[in-house]
Amino acid sequence: MKQNTSLGDGLQYAVIGDLVGSRQQKSRGEAQQQLLAALDAVNTRLPAAQKLEPTIGDELQGVYANLHDALYATVLVRLALPESMDCRFGIGEGEVEIVGTSAYGLTQDGQAWWSAREAIDDAKARGRHLPGLRTRIVREGSNQGDVVNAYLLCRDSLVSDFDGRQRRIALGVLDGKKLAQIADEEGISTSAVSQRHRSGVSVLVESIAEIPR
């Protein structure tokens, strides 16, 4: 019998996402194309053990080698989506095992995937009374509370208040663009971009930089 193999050495961070309110989109086909564009934007910016890809229905998944990149990927997807769309995520820490292949690619199992599923279910449940919440993580010991979930609650609440322009400005800043360049791309003044930068974007950018790799 063929032995199971690991996707990578040591702990991995599995990410499961699903579109929020996808059934309310005017065109499901257009929404799917916009999701694909957002995932491509993230995959070109960030290395992954397994790139983000759509799976079944409105879900997507990927795997990252460290916590920083898993957290970064989830917020990048939200920023890359148009204002009318959003995404919910569960992150699971643990091993990722390849147990076979199928018509859809590698068949995977392991603690990271079980935890990611638990995390996204938790995010959905908590989102009923915390409407800005979009991301949760489950890892060893997190049933007693996890400082990363405290960070995610604050980060998600901030990003959930962004309009489409703030999302684009945040992406531009994270890409290293100058505010003047972003202003030219948006067709607005540099002072208007600077105002948006001060009203949440700068906090988001600094918070991402504080997460160790």
Side-chain angles (χ1 to χ4, degrees), residues 78-198:
R78 297 188 67 197
L79 296 176
L81 286 169
E83 185 176 358
S84 62
M85 296 176 64
D86 207 346
C87 201
R88 179 188 298 112
F89 296 97
I91 302 172
E93 181 188 81
E95 292 187 352
V96 175
E97 297 179 346
I98 300 170
V99 296
T101 59
S102 70
Y104 299 99
L106 297 175
T107 303
Q108 298 181 22
D109 200 355
Q111 185 62 51
W113 289 117
W114 308 335
S115 294
R117 178 60 63 187
E118 180 182 346
I120 196 169
D121 289 344
D122 190 33
K124 186 174 184 178
R126 290 174 182 267
R128 296 188 181 100
H129 64 275
L130 296 169
L133 177 65
R134 290 290 181 267
T135 318
R136 296 287 286 179
I137 187 171
V138 169
R139 53 185 182 165
E140 186 176 357
S142 62
N143 60 326
Q144 300 299 320
D146 193 319
V147 67
V148 175
N149 280 324
Y151 163 74
L152 288 170
L153 177 58
C154 296
R155 187 195 76 176
D156 285 354
S157 297
L158 178 68
V159 176
S160 291
D161 286 336
F162 283 5
D163 59 20
R165 176 160 282 166
Q166 278 176 295
R167 291 185 183 188
R168 294 191 299 272
I169 290 172
L171 269 181
V173 173
L174 289 167
D175 284 343
K177 294 179 180 178
K178 301 295 186 182
L179 297 189
Q181 180 183 353
I182 297 172
D184 287 342
E185 294 172 352
E186 290 291 319
I188 58 178
S189 67
T190 302
S191 62
V193 173
S194 180
Q195 183 178 3
R196 296 294 187 98
H197 185 261
R198 291 194 300 269

Side-chain angles (χ1 to χ4, degrees), residues 45-85:
R45 286 172 167 85
L46 192 62
Q50 177 182 310
K51 291 183 177 181
L52 289 172
E53 294 180 321
T55 52
I56 299 174
D58 295 326
E59 286 202 348
L60 58 102
Q61 65 182 37
V63 180
Y64 293 89
N66 57 69
L67 179 61
H68 175 280
D69 289 353
L71 297 179
Y72 193 18
T74 56
V75 76
L76 281 177
V77 173
R78 297 188 67 197
L79 296 176
L81 286 169
E83 185 176 358
S84 62
M85 296 176 64

